[in-house]
Amino acid sequence: MPEQSDRSGRPDQSDHTDHFAPDGLRTRGTVVVVPGRGETRATYDRFGSRLAADAYRVRVVDAPALDAGDLPGTLSRFAARLTAAVDGARGVDGTVRPVVVVGSDTGAALVAALYGTAGASVAGVPEAEAVVLAGLPGRAPAAADSWDGELDVRTSCPAHRRVLTDDAGVRRGALNDAVPEELLAAAHDGGTALPALILAGDADPLADRDELHRTAKSSARARLSVVRGARHDVLNDLQHRSVAAEVVTFLETLREDLVPLVTVETSAW
């Protein structure tokens, strides 16, 4: 039986952190979060706690390793990790569905590739009902020559800057690592049949907005939501409350077969 973390989200194992729905509330779904370059699970404590407060079971895994010369192997290992994460989040009544996989940066690229055409030949891909792709990188390098420069690429949120700076596990300079071209092509060109929420900051220097539009249009059921003023770490930037609300709205709409629960009939703003 897989080891579990306590209900505060503090891990008692080496490869994931859990955030649970409040006691007394029925869990509404399972969310697996995949970090990106240089990040640790602690990077997503705030995001995970916020989704859990809305009664979703959230599991954050370690950032996957990329093998630039072996995309099939990278995807196969990633699929195995996701399967273990989903299986380990099973409760007494089984896995609470829908299962939604959220990726950030290269985590988003891997999620897009695995649930797109590139993942069609990968064995053991866990069933999911939807994906969230946040900060999907383009081909532009970060070119940050200092930690402050990398923070400026990532976020303008003082709290998030402090979390990254104080976390000894964060690998500084990681955003300067090139994303393998084969992975980028698979992520942007592969499409996915799953409902997909694509999140991008309009101040993200690593995003290619034209490519993101093409990516959204190549997927059967995708929405591209652009966050005003947000930088690369769109899940954790200054607008994190609104972004988390957008994700929760997507999760709730997914439960309604993508029929929005709220529509605006008239508004002055």
Side-chain angles (χ1 to χ4, degrees), residues 35-66:
R37 285 171 289 180
E39 297 175 328
T40 72
R41 285 172 278 134
T43 306
Y44 293 92
D45 278 351
R46 181 171 65 181
F47 177 72
S49 296
R50 183 159 281 129
L51 266 59
D54 279 305
Y56 285 89
R57 170 79 149 85
V58 181
R59 172 163 287 192
V60 186
V61 300
D62 287 331
L66 302 180

Side-chain angles (χ1 to χ4, degrees), residues 92-110:
V92 293
D93 297 321
T95 301
V96 180
R97 309 202 81 88
V99 171
V100 178
V101 185
V102 178
S104 179
D105 182 58
T106 48
L110 282 167

Side-chain angles (χ1 to χ4, degrees), residues 56 248-261:
Y56 285 89
V248 170
T249 298
F250 175 63
L251 296 175
E252 291 295 304
T253 305
L254 182 67
R255 290 168 52 88
E256 298 294 322
D257 296 323
L258 297 183
V259 177
L261 289 164

